[in-house]
């Protein structure tokens, strides 16, 4: 990384050498006894720290406007403190600009530029933090994704359903939850194998998505059971959408991968309209009605 900023270090080194040459040209080296070693230690320490900060900054940051501001500010501070250090070693006439004006200009200018750089660095970090937060959110949601169908899983459903319930209460709009269960899916698995059953679930998930509105949410709740969240939907509309989904699935002629045999499916559904309740109660009510629908369908099959 430091190679990208080589010219910045060379510029600071060049200016530093120029100040040494000019100081030696206009002044005389002090006698050993005239040097204040306490000032040497203090000003030398500040100079060393400024150099270290400059090196750390250039070694850890990419090239750009913020890096340039930080480097310029630290570079000016380093040159200013180095010139102050030279004053402790080389006696320069106090009336010369090099002795008074240069130090008075470089330090406050460097601090001002560094402050601007730190301000923009702070704004940059806020942007990075927001991007990191979004990436973490996407990662968390990815972990709540069903690996087979790509839909959200049961945990994702609960999270989204909780948010949907809050919005429905706030907007005073109805909300419906529909649980869909594929009839006799276990028999399909036994007859054609689990790989074929997985492929059937994938295609059914796509089929259901095609028959939903853009505002609706489809999740794989468990096994061969899907959950559909229908915002701004009352019971009559929920029943109509469920009937449309049922007809679409019944008319879907699924072809097996091995023999190309046509397999038709049907579904049972349980509809629950949100009341003043929580996620678990809404899901439990939909589950109860789904089981009732399956029992009723099984009873008709036995009677037939």
């Amino acid at each position: 990384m430091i190679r990208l900023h080589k010219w910045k270090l060379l510029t600071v080194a060049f200016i530093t050498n120029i100040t040494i040459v000019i100081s030696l040209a206009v002044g005389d080296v002090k006698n050993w006894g005239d040097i204040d070693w306490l000032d040497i230690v203090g000003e030398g320490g500040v100079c060393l720290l400024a150099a270290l900060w400059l090196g750390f900054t250039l070694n850890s940051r990419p090239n750009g406007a913020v890096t340039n501001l930080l480097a310029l500010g630290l570079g000016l501070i380093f040159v200013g403190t180095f010139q102050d250090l030279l004053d402790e070693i080389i006696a320069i006439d106090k009336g010369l600009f090099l002795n008074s004006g240069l130090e008075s200009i470089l330090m406050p200018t460097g601090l001002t530029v560094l402050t601007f750089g730190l301000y923009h660095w702070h704004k940059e970090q806020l942007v990075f933090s927001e991007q990191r937060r979004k990436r973490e959110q996407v990662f968390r949601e990815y972990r709540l994704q069903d690996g087979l169908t790509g839909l959200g899983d049961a945990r994702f459903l609960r999270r989204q359903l909780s948010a949907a319930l809050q919005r429905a209460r706030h907007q005073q709009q109805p909300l419906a939850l529909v649980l869909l269960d594929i009839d006799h899916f276990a028999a399909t698995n036994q007859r054609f194998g689990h790989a074929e059953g997985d492929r059937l679930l994938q295609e059914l998930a796509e089929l259901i998505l095609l028959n939903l509105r853009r505002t609706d949410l489809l999740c794989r709740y468990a096994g061969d059971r899907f959950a559909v969240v229908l915002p701004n939907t009352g019971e009559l509309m929920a029943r109509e959408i469920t009937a449309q989904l049922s007809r679409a699935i019944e008319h879907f002629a699924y072809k097996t991968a091995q023999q190309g045999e046509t397999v038709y499916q049907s579904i049972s559904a349980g509809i629950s309209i949100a009341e003043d309740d929580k996620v678990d109660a809404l899901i439990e009510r939909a589950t109860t009605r789904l089981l009732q629908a399956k029992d009723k369908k099984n009873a008709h099959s036995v009677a037939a």
Side-chain angles (χ1 to χ4, degrees):
M1 185 68 73
I2 199 73
R3 295 178 180 177
L4 297 175
H5 308 288
K6 189 174 181 180
W7 67 270
K8 298 182 181 70
L9 292 176
L10 291 175
T11 301
V12 173
F14 176 77
I15 295 174
T16 302
N17 287 323
I18 290 296
T19 58
I20 295 174
V21 172
I22 295 176
S23 296
L24 290 172
V26 300
D28 299 314
V29 178
K30 293 181 180 180
N31 295 325
W32 191 265
D34 295 333
I35 297 176
D36 189 339
W37 293 104
L38 184 60
D39 286 345
I40 291 289
V41 173
E43 294 168 3
V46 174
C47 187
L48 178 62
L49 287 175
L52 288 175
W53 293 345
L54 177 60
F56 291 151
T57 299
L58 297 181
N59 191 47
S60 61
R61 287 191 54 84
N63 204 1
V66 176
T67 302
N68 291 337
L69 283 173
L70 294 173
L72 178 59
L74 290 170
L76 291 172
I77 292 173
F78 171 78
V79 175
T81 54
F82 186 80
Q83 179 60 44
D84 201 16
L85 178 63
L86 286 178
D87 291 346
E88 303 300 329
I89 302 173
I90 302 174
I92 302 175
D93 185 359
K94 294 186 179 299
L96 292 177
F97 177 77
L98 185 66
N99 186 28
S100 57
L102 188 61
E103 297 174 17
S104 302
I105 291 175
L106 289 179
M107 284 297 293
T109 302
L111 288 171
T112 301
V113 174
L114 181 61
T115 301
F116 274 109
L118 290 173
Y119 169 73
H120 288 288
W121 173 79
H122 172 67
K123 292 177 63 178
E124 182 183 75
Q125 291 304 307
L126 292 178
V127 174
F128 289 158
S129 297
E130 178 63 18
Q131 292 175 345
R132 184 167 57 251
R133 185 191 66 80
K134 290 180 179 179
R135 286 197 299 269
E136 290 173 351
Q137 180 179 2
V138 170
F139 178 71
R140 287 194 300 269
E141 291 185 353
Y142 175 78
R143 293 181 63 185
L144 301 178
Q145 186 182 58
D146 174 53
L148 177 65
T149 62
L151 302 174
D153 61 11
R155 294 170 298 169
F156 183 78
L157 170 67
R158 290 176 180 276
R159 178 180 298 182
Q160 296 301 315
L161 195 54
S162 177
L165 283 170
Q166 292 181 4
R167 287 193 299 269
R169 282 193 290 265
H170 178 71
Q171 299 172 1
Q172 296 184 342
Q173 296 290 344
L175 176 73
L177 171 66
V178 181
L179 292 182
L180 305 174
D181 191 278
I182 303 173
D183 298 328
H184 313 300
F185 181 74
T188 302
N189 264 339
Q190 291 175 358
R191 181 179 177 185
F192 299 104
H194 289 281
E196 197 69 63
D198 288 346
R199 181 168 168 263
L200 173 60
L201 286 175
Q202 291 172 333
E203 297 204 12
L204 285 177
E206 294 180 6
L207 177 65
I208 296 172
L209 282 173
L210 289 173
N211 286 273
L212 292 177
R213 303 167 300 183
R214 293 181 59 185
T215 56
D216 301 334
L217 173 68
L218 175 65
C219 295
R220 185 185 179 191
Y221 185 60
D224 60 331
R225 187 168 297 179
F226 295 92
V228 185
V229 181
L230 303 173
N232 195 21
T233 303
E235 185 165 0
L236 291 178
M237 179 61 71
R239 290 184 180 278
E240 176 61 28
I241 292 175
T242 303
Q244 292 172 0
L245 293 175
S246 180
R247 289 194 295 270
I249 292 174
E250 288 175 358
H251 289 86
F252 174 53
Y254 173 76
K255 302 294 191 298
T256 61
Q258 295 295 331
Q259 296 87 6
E261 185 174 347
T262 302
V263 179
Y264 290 96
Q265 299 292 328
S266 63
I267 59 171
S268 298
I271 302 174
S272 178
I273 305 301
E275 299 171 0
D276 191 14
D277 48 18
K278 297 183 179 180
V279 171
D280 290 338
L282 187 63
I283 294 177
E284 183 178 354
R285 197 158 57 247
T287 302
T288 299
R289 292 175 180 173
L290 170 63
L291 295 177
Q292 291 173 348
K294 290 185 73 69
D295 290 341
K296 184 177 180 179
K297 184 174 291 187
N298 291 333
H300 281 301
S301 298
V302 172

